[in-house]
Amino acid sequence: MDPHSQNLGTVTMVLQQIYDPLIHRNADLSLRPGLALSWTQVEPNRWRFVLRQGVRFHEGEAFTADDVVFSITRALQPTSNYGIFVDTVDRAVKMDDFTVDVVTKVADPILPNKFASLFMMSKSWSERHNATRPQNTRQREEMHTVRSTNGTGAFRLAVREPDVRTVLRRNDAWFGWTEPGQTAGNVTEIVYRPIGSDATRIAALLSGEVDFVLDPPLQDLNRLRQAGNIRVVEGPEVRTIFLAMDVFRDELLYSDVRGRNPLKDLRVRQALYHAIDIQAIHRTVMRGQSIVTGTFFPPQVNGYSEAEDARLPYDPARARALLAEAGYPNGFGITLDCPNNRYVNDEQICQAIAAMWARVGVRTSVKAQPLAPFFAQIQRDDTSVYLLGWGVPTLDALYSFQSLLATRNGAQGDGIWNYGRYSNPRMDALVQRMKTESGEPRAAAVREALRMYRDDVPHIPLHHQMIPWAMRSNFQIPHAANNQPYFRWMTVN
């Protein structure tokens, strides 16, 4: 429950009901006022935020500039997984009780997009509970913010039973219920329940035991659409599924090759790419509910280039020839790490890829596990090849390039999710240009980086997810491309 500890969609799905950022998003993901009524770039390296007055945290503290300065500073600390949203921040300065200036190290034209994902905390509450820095997730640290919250949001935490249920109750004092131009929902309580079995989850929906299923199995969609008491809404998600590879170590951890790392060889990466029949995965594993891609963010993201969205063709013969050229005529063995409850049909995708790789000589063992141990493993760099899904909350290309492809160098946000440890000085230079430039120079930097992504093959892109939601027919909620249901907009008839 720590709002700056783990930047995962499954975590923010709950936290964004409880905590508010300075800037909210509409259902179409455009920006609108949140805890800040306005934001202005008063100087190239200075943004001014004018705060909403009269807001209180769930435990009664008044929201002021002190809380904003504290929250931004907290997100900058080493145990934060939200550094990507404050990577350019030098400091936050209280100008008065309801005005904060954020001074950046370089001009940052997309700072508001980043701050739409940064939750505000109570300074006094955090100090009272020894929580002035984020929980250390890697070390599985237990601190007050793991099971307790104190936000300003539409719902407050009532019950937290990990792996059993999490209960939120409506905060009638939330400022957003009466905002002009916003449709307020009428939900009074939310009960999150993890149900691992697809069959059990759908049976619970059909029987009325649950009201809303975030991830209905694709094979059940037609049955749900035909059920008279169920509504299915769907649309493309701003999330791309891809494979990332260890291109750093001199010897792979999970391979039968000794003394060298096959994945450092571009020909091997190309071979693995050519061996994947992505149309078969789209047709059979995803049942048509995916958008095949050759890049690593979708068209909704600023910087997308259709010209650079091209895959290496499915060509098993070429894959075998490339492996032989690279010195692996008989292939090799490797382990593919994969979550089994995070993305749509994630384990099935990995099993299909393993079978395709085996046909060109790369004997692949799939290690599939629930999201908590999976993410803990890859965040220790304890992997050779892994499947990941990447959303883009800022809706800007920099977020993906900086997080996934910049050299991990200790700077806030750079390479924070680059567990294959890809490193290319030219890519790093382009990322730095994306941080500070605007207009055509910035667009040119993104295009060159996308071309380099295709040429270097640090990842094997697969597809953008299509996301269906299923709910009781008397429930209505806008579908969001970030796969984040905003229950403050849900109405129950």
Side-chain angles (χ1 to χ4, degrees):
M1 295 284 105
D2 191 303
H4 300 140
S5 175
Q6 195 73 332
N7 181 21
L8 295 174
T10 47
V11 176
T12 57
M13 178 182 65
V14 178
L15 292 178
Q16 54 96 0
Q17 320 292 345
I18 299 170
Y19 288 94
D20 286 309
L22 291 174
I23 301 171
H24 278 164
R25 289 194 182 274
N26 291 302
D28 65 0
L29 304 186
S30 59
L31 302 179
R32 69 178 180 88
L35 288 171
L37 292 173
S38 66
W39 48 94
T40 309
Q41 193 169 12
V42 293
E43 297 173 5
N45 289 29
R46 181 180 290 260
W47 284 85
R48 178 160 296 161
F49 294 84
V50 177
L51 307 182
R52 191 182 295 269
Q53 299 186 30
V55 175
R56 290 194 173 273
F57 287 93
H58 296 159
E59 293 197 3
E61 305 93 336
F63 166 74
T64 70
D66 291 326
D67 303 303
V68 175
V69 172
F70 167 78
S71 298
I72 293 171
T73 305
R74 190 178 191 268
L76 281 163
Q77 297 198 37
T79 51
S80 167
N81 201 220
Y82 279 67
I84 186 69
F85 301 117
V86 290
D87 60 301
T88 60
V89 172
D90 178 64
R91 65 191 184 277
V93 182
K94 174 183 175 180
M95 306 303 289
D96 61 42
D97 282 348
F98 296 100
T99 307
V100 172
D101 278 13
V102 176
V103 180
T104 56
K105 292 173 281 191
V106 294
D108 188 345
I110 65 165
L111 189 73
N113 300 64
K114 298 175 181 178
F115 273 22
S117 297
L118 186 65
F119 298 120
M120 296 294 111
M121 297 182 70
S122 164
K123 179 177 185 286
S124 60
W125 180 84
S126 300
E127 289 174 342
R128 196 159 61 247
H129 294 291
N130 299 315
T132 55
R133 61 165 180 79
Q135 172 212 11
N136 190 327
T137 304
R138 285 188 176 88
Q139 295 181 5
R140 296 181 175 271
E141 181 182 26
E142 182 79 22
M143 54 192 292
H144 189 74
T145 49
V146 174
R147 300 174 190 271
S148 303
T149 64
N150 183 29
T152 59
F155 297 88
R156 63 178 68 204
L157 182 65
V159 179
R160 173 65 176 153
E161 297 174 3
D163 300 320
V164 179
R165 65 176 183 144
T166 299
V167 181
L168 311 184
R169 298 204 174 102
R170 183 182 178 101
N171 172 24
D172 288 326
W174 183 56
F175 60 85
W177 297 128
T178 56
E179 273 197 308
Q182 296 295 321
T183 302
N186 60 0
V187 169
T188 57
E189 184 177 81
I190 308 166
V191 182
Y192 290 92
R193 287 180 51 196
I195 304 176
S197 163
D198 288 348
T200 304
R201 195 159 61 249
I202 295 308
L205 178 64
L206 290 169
S207 70
E209 182 185 346
V210 302
D211 301 303
F212 181 97
V213 171
L214 183 71
D215 53 351
L218 301 183
Q219 63 269 21
D220 290 317
L221 288 182
N222 286 335
R223 179 161 66 109
L224 292 172
R225 290 190 186 102
Q226 293 165 10
N229 62 340
I230 301 298
R231 179 195 310 274
V232 176
V233 298
E234 56 191 321
E237 185 186 11
V238 187
R239 183 175 303 279
T240 303
I241 307 299
F242 61 90
L243 300 175
M245 298 161 280
D246 177 356
V247 295
F248 176 78
R249 286 186 175 89
D250 292 328
E251 180 178 304
L252 284 178
L253 293 178
Y254 301 105
S255 170
D256 58 7
V257 178
R258 294 291 170 262
R260 54 182 171 159
N261 178 353
L263 300 179
K264 278 191 167 185
D265 193 315
L266 174 61
R267 293 169 296 184
V268 173
R269 301 197 299 275
Q270 291 172 331
L272 295 176
Y273 199 150
H274 280 299
I276 295 175
D277 185 349
I278 193 61
Q279 291 299 332
I281 291 173
H282 169 73
R283 186 175 58 252
T284 60
V285 179
M286 300 304 294
R287 299 173 182 259
Q289 294 291 305
S290 63
I291 301 171
V292 171
T293 186
T295 191
F296 71 135
F297 50 79
Q300 301 100 313
V301 174
N302 177 44
Y304 171 83
S305 169
E306 185 176 1
E308 300 302 333
D309 190 352
R311 293 186 60 80
L312 291 181
Y314 171 54
D315 190 341
R318 179 64 177 149
R320 284 188 286 268
L322 284 166
L323 288 170
E325 283 180 30
Y328 305 97
N330 299 316
F332 55 88
I334 201 166
T335 296
L336 171 57
D337 290 305
C338 186
N340 60 15
N341 64 350
R342 175 61 187 100
Y343 313 113
V344 178
N345 288 355
D346 40 17
E347 182 177 1
Q348 295 94 317
I349 294 169
C350 288
Q351 295 290 356
I353 289 171
M356 294 169 186
W357 283 353
R359 286 196 284 271
V360 300
V362 178
R363 300 168 297 280
T364 306
S365 171
V366 173
K367 179 183 178 182
Q369 54 187 327
L371 65 91
F374 168 77
F375 281 115
Q377 177 184 336
I378 67 170
Q379 288 175 346
R380 296 191 301 269
D381 297 318
D382 184 19
T383 184
S384 294
V385 188
Y386 59 96
L387 179 137
L388 193 68
W390 189 252
V392 191
T394 64
L395 299 182
D396 187 88
L398 173 63
Y399 184 82
S400 297
F401 280 109
Q402 184 181 4
S403 304
L404 298 170
L405 295 177
T407 300
R408 200 189 312 166
N409 59 10
Q412 286 288 346
D414 284 354
I416 193 170
W417 284 82
N418 182 1
Y419 301 121
R421 287 185 282 180
Y422 169 80
S423 180
N424 183 314
R426 180 58 186 164
M427 180 68 78
D428 291 340
L430 292 169
V431 169
Q432 295 307 311
R433 285 178 55 190
M434 290 178 215
K435 289 182 180 181
T436 59
E437 294 182 355
S438 58
E440 177 53 30
R442 187 177 196 267
V446 174
R447 288 195 299 271
E448 183 180 343
L450 284 171
R451 196 167 306 119
M452 186 175 298
Y453 179 81
R454 287 179 55 197
D455 292 343
D456 278 6
V457 194
H459 301 156
I460 301 176
L462 300 173
H463 57 250
H464 312 308
Q465 283 195 156
M466 291 286 290
I467 289 294
W469 296 346
M471 66 201 80
R472 307 281 294 166
S473 58
N474 60 323
F475 283 68
Q476 293 195 43
I477 187 171
H479 187 277
N482 59 0
N483 198 28
Q484 296 284 316
Y486 296 99
F487 291 116
R488 57 182 178 261
W489 295 332
M490 175 174 271
T491 56
V492 185
N493 300 320

